[in-house]
Amino acid sequence: MSADYPFPLAPRMGALSPSPFHILQQAAKESENRGRKLLYLSVGEPGFHTPENVKEAAIRAIRNNQTRYTAADGTPELKAAICAKLLRQNNLIYAPDQVIVTMGGVQAIFNLLLATVGHGDEVLLPAPFFSPYLSSIQLTGAKPVLLPTRESEGFVPQARDVATALTNRSRWLVLNSPSNPAGAIIDRDQLHEIADVVRKHPGLMVLSDDMYEAIRFEGGDFLNIVNVAPDLAERTVVLNGVSKTYAMTGWRMAYLAGPKRLIAAVTQVSLSSAFSPNSISQAAAVEALEGPQTAIEVQLSEYRARRDTVIAALKEIPGLSFVPPRGAYFLFVNCKSYLGMRNAEGEFIRDDLDFVLYVLRKTDVALMPGSGFGMPGYLRISFATSDEVLRIATRRLSDVCNELRLAAAP
């Protein structure tokens, strides 16, 4: 217990360990405080502005005094727009009472888990994973069961690993496709195989995290487990939102769609944690879902070009390996060959956190350590930023890698 804070914290806080992200972010902040200009390849948000029609919808809502509390599960207008989107784009039928609006995806994840799991329950989480999943599971008292994925298999979760990890305490299986941080997409055949495993365990639910649905680089229809296994609809909750598709991260708008009774339980949790979503953001989200969709294809084309820029640069750096991402705007890069080296100053690079901190210190380029996503020995590069920044940053990364190889040479 800290000497300057003598009062006890809740025991659940002991489940949380210091985050590598926090260490990296603190180091970045300290660099900026010293006047350094950083290049952020660490931030997971779109490199575009919110579309003008969406911003105008929010302004109209303010002028029309839509500034009061809304229903805890969202406005009727937004829930109707969500149901229409799910039918139009995903061929999924949900009624408004099967949908809840939340203040961002993290709140959706946390409230869903808080409503459904506790001590003794297990949540199957493929690694690498979006980091708030782990802390949310831990805060509920449930046990995270990490499923291995492999670079050789594109970081796609495999049905055989799901089957091996399942026990009679398993309550949720998380499927994130396209995934953060690896950009992996679970194809139709793989979804069928996973669905076959899920069917054999009637107590298991599936959380289908579709947040990066619109950012896919290979065309074709987007598929989640309900599309290939409609019989699992009553055991599946779909998570999505407007943050990534419409460059609206700061608006904090996401939603869950699933069985009516379960959504009602999540609504009860939301009443106690946020009371109701932001009214202005909900008006903007209605316009995002119902208005022109032309900005999506423009952004996707730019993301594809930026991805190709980073891929071309990384291919020229010996010792780094990666799987070209099929979606989202991240590359998950294997940097294990640089771990265990010493730099020119004789400092030892022990792990991926040491590696990204050294890159930050030497080049003012901020990356994310893979250990924060449950997969040590990797780093995550966001290519959401501009092409110019990506070219400069990858050149600097190449210089650091060259320096380390030279220092390690006999």
Side-chain angles (χ1 to χ4, degrees), residues 43-61:
V43 181
E45 70 176 330
F48 299 93
H49 296 302
T50 303
E52 290 300 317
N53 63 303
V54 177
K55 291 188 282 188
E56 288 300 320
I59 293 169
R60 285 196 304 272

Side-chain angles (χ1 to χ4, degrees), residues 63-377:
R63 289 176 175 156
N64 292 335
N65 296 312
Q66 293 176 236
T67 56
R68 299 181 181 276
Y69 293 128
T70 73
D73 56 349
T75 63
E77 295 80 8
L78 179 52
K79 293 177 69 174
I82 291 167
C83 291
K85 180 269 178 202
L86 290 168
L87 179 60
R88 180 178 67 251
Q89 296 184 6
N90 307 107
N91 198 31
L92 299 176
I93 299 174
Y94 290 97
D97 60 4
Q98 293 179 283
V99 172
I100 179 171
V101 179
T102 65
M103 295 178 67
V106 174
Q107 190 196 53
I109 292 165
F110 183 72
N111 287 1
L112 176 65
L113 292 172
L114 196 63
T116 56
V117 297
H119 290 281
D121 294 326
E122 295 176 352
V123 179
L124 277 60
L125 181 63
F129 49 75
F130 177 51
S131 59
Y133 273 110
L134 183 63
S135 55
S136 294
I137 296 166
Q138 291 170 327
L139 284 171
T140 66
K143 176 185 176 182
V145 177
L146 303 187
L147 296 179
T149 67
R150 302 162 187 86
E151 187 175 342
S152 61
E153 296 173 328
F155 299 109
V156 174
Q158 303 296 314
R160 65 181 184 276
D161 295 315
V162 176
T164 299
L166 283 170
T167 73
N168 59 7
R169 297 183 298 278
S170 302
R171 295 293 174 263
W172 284 100
L173 166 65
V174 177
L175 298 178
N176 178 204
S177 174
S179 72
N180 174 8
I185 289 179
I186 310 174
D187 288 327
R188 181 187 297 271
D189 289 347
Q190 294 158 330
L191 285 168
H192 273 298
E193 291 174 5
I194 293 172
D196 287 341
V197 174
V198 172
R199 289 189 185 97
K200 298 173 184 176
H201 293 78
L204 182 69
M205 297 282 292
V206 178
L207 173 54
S208 181
D209 183 342
D210 302 351
M211 195 64 74
Y212 290 89
E213 168 193 353
I215 307 175
R216 293 173 289 114
F217 302 119
E218 299 173 359
D221 294 333
F222 171 78
L223 296 173
N224 66 24
I225 197 167
V226 185
N227 295 126
V228 304
D231 58 301
L232 295 180
E234 283 300 306
R235 295 168 55 188
T236 302
V237 173
V238 173
L239 166 64
N240 211 325
V242 297
S243 295
K244 316 302 180 184
T245 304
Y246 303 99
M248 294 177 67
T249 52
W251 299 77
R252 311 311 302 133
M253 282 284 102
Y255 58 86
L256 296 169
K260 177 180 177 180
R261 182 169 175 269
L262 193 153
I263 295 300
V266 178
T267 301
Q268 287 298 109
V269 174
S270 293
L271 275 166
S272 300
S273 62
F275 192 72
S276 69
N278 181 292
S279 60
I280 308 304
S281 293
Q282 289 186 79
V286 171
E287 175 63 23
L289 294 173
E290 294 185 341
Q293 305 293 300
T294 52
I296 297 175
E297 191 57 41
V298 173
Q299 292 177 20
L300 180 60
S301 177
E302 186 62 32
Y303 284 138
R304 185 182 288 109
R306 295 174 185 181
R307 177 195 67 160
D308 293 345
T309 292
V310 178
I311 286 175
L314 293 182
K315 283 182 177 178
E316 299 301 315
I317 305 177
L320 296 181
S321 66
F322 58 90
V323 177
R326 300 175 62 198
Y329 38 67
F330 307 108
L331 274 115
F332 204 55
V333 181
N334 187 328
C335 62
K336 292 177 184 177
S337 67
Y338 289 91
L339 308 185
M341 289 186 175
R342 293 187 181 275
N343 59 34
E345 292 80 31
E347 299 170 320
F348 189 60
I349 308 295
R350 296 168 301 174
D351 52 28
D352 53 283
L353 178 58
D354 276 356
F355 183 82
V356 299
L357 288 172
Y358 185 63
V359 171
L360 177 68
R361 189 166 73 250
K362 292 288 287 187
T363 71
D364 295 326
V365 173
L367 309 168
M368 280 293 189
S371 53
F373 302 99
M375 190 163 281

